[in-house]
Amino acid sequence: MDVVKRRLDPRSYVKLVGSVEGCCVAPLAALWTSPPASVVRWDLAANAYPAPSGRKGPVVFAGSFNPPHHGHMEIIRYLSKAFSEVHIVIGMNPNKIYPVSPETRKQIIEQALPFIGAGNAKVWVWGDVIFKLAQHVGASALYRGIRSWEEDGKAERYLEVQNICWPMISTCGGPFGTYYVEAPPRYSFISSTLLRARLKSGESIDDIVPASQQYVSELVRLSIMSGRRLWRQYFEPNHP
């Protein structure tokens, strides 16, 4: 597909990608309705994730992290114990402007890593398809964080099918398996949408962002304030 992309004009390439999505990815995602066979879940009795049986190879943990919060950090902590390397990938669209920039999100996560003992994690801002980075770092699998399959499953299954189909279509490589980690139940109310709403209204975010990251809270606030007009347009499209 990369060769095809170089030969086609951008409009034709986008049209081709849309056709492949419509003919392959979307129908399979619609038919594949069963939940994942295995989801890593928080052990309420132990008040922790199940202990991993030794560290495996590199893994990619992808998301928008817009902005990062407690739920993300607990999942990163678990993956850092279960795998030798954790590549945290902040997906971005190069043509889109974000209220909290990908680079700011990257800085927030990097500042948090020492506090959660994730010294084997690296943060990337990535504007291409995720499986290409996974191939680059030699990852064996892709991981996604969810609140629950009931809440997030439909959108996640579409991404899972993309990770199966596109490596084969684009590079003639093998498909990437996608695996899931549920955030701890006590953080099930947290979402990046809630965090952005709190920041917009000036409410406290101490129950969303780890207490040891008060400076991170301020970093997010400064990022929001620096793009105040853009932020209002993001939430209020009709605002001048």
Side-chain angles (χ1 to χ4, degrees):
M1 287 293 287
D2 288 343
V3 174
V4 173
K5 184 177 182 179
R6 288 193 292 268
R7 291 178 178 273
L8 294 178
D9 62 86
R11 186 174 179 180
S12 298
Y13 181 75
V14 169
K15 187 175 180 180
L16 174 62
V17 170
S19 298
V20 174
E21 290 274 321
C23 295
C24 177
V25 177
L28 181 55
L31 290 171
W32 190 5
T33 58
S34 59
S38 177
V39 176
V40 178
R41 292 185 171 89
W42 188 261
D43 186 333
L44 291 174
N47 195 32
Y49 283 113
S53 56
R55 284 187 170 182
K56 304 172 185 176
V59 69
V60 163
F61 176 39
S64 61
F65 305 100
N66 190 24
H69 53 66
H70 270 306
H72 296 136
M73 298 307 165
E74 286 293 351
I75 293 172
I76 292 170
R77 191 202 307 269
Y78 165 76
L79 292 174
S80 72
K81 294 178 181 178
F83 294 91
S84 60
E85 299 174 21
V86 181
H87 296 273
I88 304 161
V89 185
I90 301 170
M92 63 162 291
N93 181 342
N95 299 316
K96 183 177 178 180
I97 300 175
Y98 297 88
V100 180
S101 74
E103 288 298 332
T104 296
R105 283 175 261 161
K106 178 176 184 286
Q107 185 179 356
I108 291 170
I109 297 174
E110 287 176 336
Q111 295 283 3
L113 294 179
F115 292 104
I116 60 174
N120 59 334
K122 180 177 181 178
V123 189
W124 303 72
V125 173
W126 192 252
D128 204 343
V129 289
I130 302 299
F131 79 82
K132 289 186 178 179
L133 177 61
Q135 290 175 332
H136 174 70
V137 300
S140 57
L142 306 175
Y143 268 79
R144 298 280 296 179
I146 58 175
R147 291 167 293 179
S148 71
W149 188 252
E150 290 72 24
E151 291 178 277
D152 302 325
K154 184 176 181 180
E156 292 296 335
R157 178 51 50 78
Y158 194 93
L159 295 174
E160 182 174 356
V161 174
Q162 286 183 317
N163 292 330
I164 292 171
C165 294
W166 277 110
M168 296 187 289
I169 296 170
S170 181
T171 64
C172 296
F176 275 94
T178 303
Y179 303 91
Y180 301 94
V181 183
E182 277 190 8
R186 67 180 180 274
Y187 299 141
S188 61
F189 76 97
I190 298 176
S191 68
S192 292
T193 301
L194 172 63
L195 179 50
R196 294 196 301 269
R198 293 266 195 96
L199 289 165
K200 179 194 174 188
S201 63
E203 295 178 69
S204 171
I205 59 173
D206 293 343
D207 60 334
I208 298 179
V209 176
S212 58
Q213 295 173 239
Q214 297 303 323
Y215 61 93
V216 172
S217 302
E218 187 60 25
L219 177 62
V220 177
R221 292 185 191 280
L222 290 172
S223 174
I224 300 303
M225 292 303 294
S226 67
R228 186 182 183 90
R229 179 172 295 181
L230 173 62
W231 186 252
R232 295 191 69 177
Q233 290 174 348
Y234 180 82
F235 281 101
E236 305 166 24
N238 296 323
H239 192 279

